[in-house]
Amino acid sequence: MSNCSDHNSCVDSAMKEAENICSKNNLRFTDIRKTVLKIIWESHKPIKAYDILDKITGMEFSAKPPTVYRALEFLLENGLVHKINSLNSFIGCPHPLQHDQCYFIICSACDEIEECCDESISDVIKSVMKKNKFLHKNIAIEINGTCQNCLESK
Ligand SMILES: [Zn+2]
Ligand SMILES: [Zn+2]
Ligand SMILES: [Zn+2]
């Protein structure tokens, strides 16, 4: 996400893509689901659930916390957003439903997150799980360190 020069247009295209995915899969993209997704994309950085709640409380639109959590759940289940466990935050997926798992690199200096999805990572995991006779469901890979920008500005 650090590479987007015009964040408004990247929010717009994420919303349009979500709209398409929902209509293709017969999912109801309700107002609250839209609002939550938009807040996540607009934040540009990973955002915590209570910050999402905060923003919604500031809107005219009244939604109780359980409604907001259900909307988040929906977005997660349908691959539109990801949870970053190490930051206990949420971030929009730039390429929803293109593969099973997304992997992340997180800069601890500027908090930028990039997806570093790569089939070779998935292949290694599959073969290791096979060796362990384990049927995996969720995989969370979050690598933190320093991004190029921060390295250069040191
Ligand atoms: Zn993703
Ligand atoms: Zn991905
Ligand atoms: Zn950085």
Side-chain angles (χ1 to χ4, degrees):
M1 303 230 310
S2 58
N3 308 323
C4 79
S5 48
D6 175 6
H7 199 56
N8 281 332
S9 78
C10 105
V11 174
D12 284 350
S13 63
M15 294 306 295
K16 268 188 210 114
E17 181 151 20
E19 199 97 49
N20 287 338
I21 286 174
C22 290
S23 74
K24 248 186 242 158
N25 297 291
N26 280 320
L27 301 167
R28 286 179 57 233
F29 200 29
T30 57
D31 285 346
I32 182 68
R33 291 168 176 176
K34 277 182 201 162
T35 307
V36 172
L37 184 64
K38 197 153 192 230
I39 290 172
I40 293 173
W41 270 98
E42 277 172 346
S43 96
H44 192 94
K45 293 204 165 153
I47 181 167
K48 291 189 192 310
Y50 61 73
D51 290 324
I52 299 173
L53 273 174
D54 242 27
K55 290 214 155 89
I56 287 182
T57 319
M59 294 174 175
E60 279 161 48
F61 193 84
S62 79
K64 299 222 160 63
T67 316
V68 175
Y69 286 117
R70 275 197 301 272
L72 258 178
E73 214 43 59
F74 167 88
L75 298 172
L76 279 170
E77 270 166 24
N78 292 291
L80 297 169
V81 305
H82 297 299
K83 184 165 189 196
I84 305 298
N85 295 309
S86 60
L87 302 174
N88 195 22
S89 299
F90 299 89
I91 192 150
C93 180
H95 50 231
L97 305 183
Q98 282 179 30
H99 42 239
D100 285 348
Q101 309 282 346
C102 290
Y103 313 121
F104 306 92
I105 38 182
I106 305 166
C107 177
S108 10
C110 68
D111 293 336
E112 278 292 351
I113 293 198
E114 296 284 346
E115 290 201 358
C116 60
C117 313
D118 195 311
E119 257 180 72
S120 58
I121 301 178
S122 310
D123 291 345
V124 169
I125 292 170
K126 271 180 215 149
S127 89
V128 174
M129 289 307 101
K130 208 171 178 182
K131 267 184 226 154
N132 285 273
K133 300 189 169 61
F134 189 81
L135 178 65
H136 66 280
K137 189 173 168 226
N138 293 310
I139 303 167
I141 297 183
E142 300 172 9
I143 299 168
N144 63 42
T146 317
C147 76
Q148 183 81 36
N149 277 342
C150 291
L151 280 175
E152 280 167 3
S153 63
K154 260 188 186 163

